[in-house]
């Protein structure tokens, strides 16, 4: 479910995996980037969120 949320709101998805500071930074960059570029930079943030979600799952599996 978190992967689907990352499609629409990457900062919220990053927040849900427990990375508070990173989600705030991504939100501050994400909003103007989406507004001024017309959504062209949105896939970059989706990819970042997916990578972080995958790493969080790998960390849980390793424990």
């Amino acid at each position: 479910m978190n992967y689907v949320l990352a499609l629409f709101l990457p900062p919220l998805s990053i927040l849900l995996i427990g990375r508070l500071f990173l989600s705030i930074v991504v939100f501050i960059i994400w909003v103007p980037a989406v507004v001024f570029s017309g959504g062209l930079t949105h896939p970059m943030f989706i990819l970042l969120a997916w990578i972080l979600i995958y790493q969080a799952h790998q960390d849980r599996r390793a424990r």
Side-chain angles (χ1 to χ4, degrees):
M1 181 180 114
N2 205 2
Y3 286 105
V4 175
L5 182 61
L7 287 172
F8 302 109
L9 295 169
L12 180 60
S13 178
I14 294 170
L15 179 66
L16 290 176
I17 62 170
R19 303 226 176 163
L20 177 64
F21 182 72
L22 184 61
S23 68
I24 293 169
V25 171
V26 167
F27 181 76
I28 291 170
I29 297 170
W30 177 69
V31 170
V34 169
V35 169
F36 292 125
S37 73
L40 293 175
T41 57
H42 187 70
M44 175 181 63
F45 293 105
I46 293 171
L47 184 63
L48 173 66
W50 281 0
I51 290 170
L52 291 172
I53 294 166
Y54 178 77
Q55 286 179 345
H57 286 298
Q58 290 298 325
D59 290 343
R60 277 190 236 140
R61 285 184 192 157
R63 288 188 228 161

